[in-house]
């Protein structure tokens, strides 16, 4: 109860601070402050890119979090060949630059099969490239989380007659989620910043636009505004994940 | 009636580490059997083979006259999974380090398997679980998480969890080894109560006095063999075997 009140207070104060800043900014724009007007101009130009970055971020998470679990299962498979192939997949995903992977996913259909590239495909290529890469990282995080569950938990479950699926769903998975939240948060924050790599295949997201604006204005301001967006968005991610982590901490040890 | 019958169990790790060399043991209904012996004598492995956490290399195992493991050409043959699943219901195991599920409350630790494995009625299981907690003197802890309990309380929950499955025979693997002397006496009292209620139990223990006072039969193991067994007053007070005598002298100080 006490904790709840504290949370509400924190949220209330943060909203108040942000609202004040926004109001101040709007007032500055209205009063014709040159600096404020310039920032506003940059923000209008980055607007479409922000949406593109958020779409890329959200869809990548939606796909890579569950695919990562499947990859993790394959990596731990009893069938040696499946485990080996998955291990190779993970090592390639981790061992080569994400930018290169994006370019390969984007151009492979043309170079390998002579399928003409459409600009529609750019979007799908970005999602596919990011999801495949992040799934590999999530798989390894999940694996460490599963392996952190003590052997005694499996033995207790076995003696009580739980099936393999029940043991995983009821006993192992909840404990794994708790073990893996901090590294998953890390990965999500990295993803926010990594979306800027999509410029490698000319997917128009915020960073691409910021660079264009900076070049056009021959001023670094646009890059600073873009940086501020990434930073604020990551503050939000860290805050939300922190809340979830706290919620999962109902049992310690 | 013979609840447990083990014949000529052999078990080795890594081909040349023979932990159990040739052990036969049967336990009758209502009997309390204590297993004593130095570390590395195979006590725990025997229990783990009997509870099917470890697969045995040779020998047979049956509960209540139903075969779980038969022997073909000197090698252990396990019955089909469906049979083993039924036989699993005949026994329970209490671990040295409790192995409670940390993300479940005390009550859920006890009721989850009866409800979801044995498919029993929730209300009935909960009522039984509360009665068991009362019997253990910790009914006020039903809504706590294991991490909020002392070691002795956790072990009592673990015993209640095993009893909630209504096993015919209960195994204890050094149930007091992770506890300090004060908590040890708590658990020994619970075991004494269970013995008074004619619960069939097999207890691996280092508590010599407890073994003498509570058990109907004491088994002394050394280097993978049962070297002496009989009434506690014979084995503990007048051991015939030199190895037993040396061990008891050391333990008694």
């Amino acid at each position: 109860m006490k904790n709840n009140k504290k949370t509400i207070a924190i949220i209330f104060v943060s909203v108040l601070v942000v609202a004040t800043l926004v109001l101040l900014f709007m007032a500055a724009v209205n009063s014709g402050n040159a600096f404020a007007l310039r920032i506003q101009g940059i923000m209008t130009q980055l607007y479409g890119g922000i949406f593109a970055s958020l779409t890329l971020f959200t869809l990548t998470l939606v796909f890579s979090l569950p695919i990562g679990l499947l990859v993790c299962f394959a990596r731990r498979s009893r069938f040696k060949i499946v485990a080996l192939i998955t291990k190779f997949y993970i090592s390639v995903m981790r061992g080569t630059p994400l930018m290169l992977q994006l370019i390969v996913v984007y151009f492979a259909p043309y170079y390998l099969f002579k399928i003409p590239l459409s600009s529609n495909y750019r979007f799908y290529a970005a999602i596919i490239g990011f999801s495949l890469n992040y799934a590999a990282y999530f798989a390894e995080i999940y694996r460490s989380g599963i392996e952190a569950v003590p052997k005694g938990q499996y033995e207790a479950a076995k003696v009580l007659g739980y099936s393999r699926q029940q043991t995983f769903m009821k006993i192992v998975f909840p404990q794994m989620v708790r073990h893996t939240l901090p590294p998953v948060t890390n990965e999500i924050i990295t993803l926010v910043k990594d979306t800027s790599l999509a410029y490698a295949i000319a997917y128009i997201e915020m960073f691409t636009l910021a660079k264009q604006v900076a070049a056009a204005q021959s001023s670094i301001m646009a890059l600073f505004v873009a940086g501020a967006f990434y930073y604020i968005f990551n503050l939000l991610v860290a805050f939300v994940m922190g809340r979830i982590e706290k919620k999962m901490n109902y049992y310690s040890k | 009636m013979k609840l447990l019958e083990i014949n000529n169990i052999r078990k080795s790790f890594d081909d040349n580490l023979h932990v159990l060399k040739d052990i036969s043991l049967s336990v009758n209904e209502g009997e309390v059997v204590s297993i004593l012996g130095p570390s590395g004598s195979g006590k725990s492995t025997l229990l783990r083979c009997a509870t099917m956490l470890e697969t045995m290399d040779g020998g047979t195992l049956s509960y209540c006259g139903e075969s779980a493991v038969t022997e073909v050409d000197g090698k252990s043959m396990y019955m089909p999974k469906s049979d083993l699943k039924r036989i699993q219901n005949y026994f329970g195991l209490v671990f040295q380090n409790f192995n409670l599920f940390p993300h479940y409350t005390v009550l859920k630790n006890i009721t989850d398997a009866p409800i979801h494995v044995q498919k029993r009625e929730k209300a009935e299981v909960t009522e039984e679980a509360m009665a068991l907690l009362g019997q253990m003197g910790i009914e006020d802890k039903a809504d706590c998480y294991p991490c909020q309990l002392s070691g002795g309380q956790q072990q009592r929950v673990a015993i209640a969890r095993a009893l909630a499955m209504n096993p015919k025979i209960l195994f204890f693997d050094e149930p007091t080894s992770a506890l300090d002397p004060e908590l040890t006496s708590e658990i020994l009292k619970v075991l004494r109560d269970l013995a008074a209620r004619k619960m069939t139990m097999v207890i691996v223990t280092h508590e010599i006095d407890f073994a003498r006072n509570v058990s109907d039969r004491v088994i002394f193991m050394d280097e993978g063999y049962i070297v002496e067994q009989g009434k506690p007053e014979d084995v503990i007070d007048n051991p015939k075997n030199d190895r037993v005598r040396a061990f008891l002298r050391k333990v008694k100080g």
Side-chain angles (χ1 to χ4, degrees):
Chain A
M1 230 32 230
K2 211 175 163 189
N3 241 338
N4 263 340
K5 274 185 185 161
K6 211 171 140 194
T7 316
I8 292 169
I10 291 173
I11 293 175
F12 184 72
V13 169
S14 335
V15 168
L16 210 67
V17 169
V18 171
T20 315
L21 286 176
V22 170
L23 278 175
L24 274 177
F25 179 70
M26 277 161 63
V29 170
N30 276 334
S31 68
N33 178 300
F35 181 73
L37 278 173
R38 226 178 113 198
I39 302 274
Q40 194 208 18
I42 292 171
M43 275 163 63
T44 332
Q45 292 183 72
L46 295 188
Y47 183 73
I50 293 170
F51 182 73
S53 294
L54 281 180
T55 310
L56 187 54
F57 168 79
T58 313
L59 288 180
T60 301
L61 276 190
V62 165
F63 289 119
S64 62
L65 284 171
I67 293 174
L69 198 57
L70 296 181
V71 175
C72 172
F73 290 151
R75 172 73 179 77
R76 290 169 51 82
S77 169
R78 273 170 296 172
F79 304 106
K80 282 270 154 54
I81 184 76
V82 175
L84 207 71
I85 291 171
T86 316
K87 203 173 164 185
F88 178 69
Y89 161 73
I90 291 171
S91 91
V92 169
M93 286 296 146
R94 297 203 300 182
T96 60
L98 175 53
M99 193 192 286
L100 183 143
Q101 293 164 19
L102 288 172
I103 292 172
V104 166
V105 171
Y106 182 51
F107 288 106
Y110 175 72
Y111 284 128
L112 294 179
F113 310 109
K114 297 290 171 213
I115 299 169
L117 294 174
S118 72
S119 56
N120 263 344
Y121 178 59
R122 220 186 282 286
F123 171 72
Y124 296 110
I127 304 289
I128 293 170
F130 272 101
S131 298
L132 287 180
N133 180 277
Y134 272 78
Y137 281 94
F138 285 134
E140 284 299 278
I141 291 174
Y142 295 152
R143 190 165 69 94
S144 74
I146 289 176
E147 276 161 21
V149 175
K151 217 177 123 209
Q153 295 285 307
Y154 292 91
E155 293 183 345
K158 176 155 193 275
V159 171
L160 289 170
Y162 286 105
S163 67
R164 282 169 59 97
Q165 290 93 321
Q166 280 178 322
T167 304
F168 183 79
M169 292 310 294
K170 288 171 154 288
I171 311 300
V172 178
F173 187 73
Q175 296 188 56
M176 178 209 91
V177 169
R178 191 174 164 281
H179 288 307
T180 52
L181 269 180
V184 163
T185 303
N186 238 342
E187 223 37 56
I188 294 178
I189 285 174
T190 307
L191 173 61
V192 171
K193 296 175 290 176
D194 272 359
T195 53
S196 61
L197 284 175
Y199 90 92
I201 54 172
Y203 174 76
I204 311 292
E205 41 66 62
M206 183 174 53
F207 185 65
T208 317
L209 292 179
K211 269 201 338 179
Q212 285 170 7
V213 174
Q217 297 182 344
S218 70
S219 150
I220 202 162
M221 193 55 77
L223 295 178
F224 275 139
V225 173
F229 271 119
Y230 286 118
Y231 183 70
I232 291 169
F233 192 65
N234 271 332
L235 280 184
L236 205 70
V237 169
F239 176 77
V240 170
M241 293 305 285
R243 302 299 319 164
I244 297 176
E245 225 172 280
K246 232 180 189 165
K247 217 165 207 160
M248 297 294 296
N249 250 350
Y250 60 90
Y251 70 95
S252 54
K253 200 179 151 194
Chain B
M1 183 179 140
K2 272 182 189 168
L3 286 190
L4 166 69
E5 191 162 10
I6 290 173
N7 283 311
N8 313 101
I9 280 198
R10 280 142 1 246
K11 170 74 184 171
S12 55
F13 293 105
D14 305 330
D15 290 336
N16 46 19
L17 183 63
H18 301 282
V19 182
L20 299 178
K21 286 166 187 156
D22 183 4
I23 293 204
S24 299
L25 166 69
S26 66
V27 179
N28 290 317
E29 192 164 6
E31 210 181 359
V32 177
V33 178
S34 291
I35 304 179
L36 303 177
S39 324
S41 59
K43 310 180 298 285
S44 286
T45 309
L46 175 62
L47 228 57
R48 292 172 61 83
C49 284
T51 51
M52 299 192 270
L53 287 177
E54 216 74 73
T55 52
M56 46 211 237
D57 304 331
T60 65
L61 169 69
S62 65
Y63 283 93
C64 308
E66 291 182 44
S67 276
V69 184
T70 54
E71 196 166 20
V72 177
D73 297 334
K75 281 198 169 169
S76 286
M77 275 273 292
Y78 280 77
M79 288 294 169
K81 236 181 172 177
S82 53
D83 290 346
L84 295 182
K85 198 146 189 168
R86 193 184 61 248
I87 291 170
Q88 189 107 41
N89 281 312
Y90 291 136
F91 62 82
L93 170 64
V94 173
F95 297 87
Q96 180 178 346
N97 37 14
F98 333 134
N99 290 337
L100 293 175
F101 303 130
H103 57 301
Y104 283 173
T105 61
V106 164
L107 186 63
K108 194 160 163 61
N109 259 286
I110 299 172
T111 57
D112 196 71
I115 294 171
H116 292 107
V117 175
Q118 296 181 332
K119 312 283 182 203
R120 286 165 54 200
E121 206 52 53
K122 187 177 176 182
E124 172 205 324
V125 170
T126 307
E127 197 176 307
E128 259 186 56
M130 289 310 293
L132 280 170
L133 284 174
Q135 192 183 323
M136 302 285 156
I138 45 172
E139 53 202 326
D140 54 324
K141 302 289 182 195
D143 296 322
C144 292
Y145 287 95
C147 63
Q148 297 167 301
L149 307 184
S150 73
Q153 290 168 336
Q154 289 190 40
Q155 192 59 299
R156 280 183 275 170
V157 175
I159 294 171
R161 178 173 73 174
L163 287 170
M165 301 292 282
N166 292 321
K168 295 212 179 301
I169 177 170
L170 201 46
F171 295 94
F172 293 82
D173 188 5
E174 302 193 25
T176 61
S177 291
L179 304 173
D180 64 34
E182 198 187 342
L183 301 180
T184 296
S185 68
E186 270 178 39
I187 296 304
L188 296 184
K189 187 183 166 296
V190 170
L191 296 187
R192 239 175 248 125
D193 288 349
L194 287 175
R197 289 161 188 253
K198 289 288 157 212
M199 182 75 211
T200 313
M201 297 189 281
V202 178
I203 309 165
V204 169
T205 182
H206 291 297
E207 303 288 330
I208 307 287
D209 289 333
F210 168 78
R212 185 196 356 237
N213 295 333
V214 175
S215 21
D216 301 309
R217 182 154 49 114
V218 170
I219 287 174
F220 190 94
M221 281 181 68
D222 188 35
E223 293 186 350
Y225 292 107
I226 292 177
V227 290
E228 189 159 349
Q229 64 173 313
K231 286 190 161 31
E233 48 272 27
D234 295 338
V235 176
I236 295 174
D237 299 328
N238 297 303
K240 293 172 199 75
N241 184 290
D242 289 343
R243 191 67 193 84
V244 183
R245 224 172 286 159
F247 175 80
L248 289 172
R249 206 180 308 128
K250 251 188 265 170
V251 181
K252 286 176 176 168

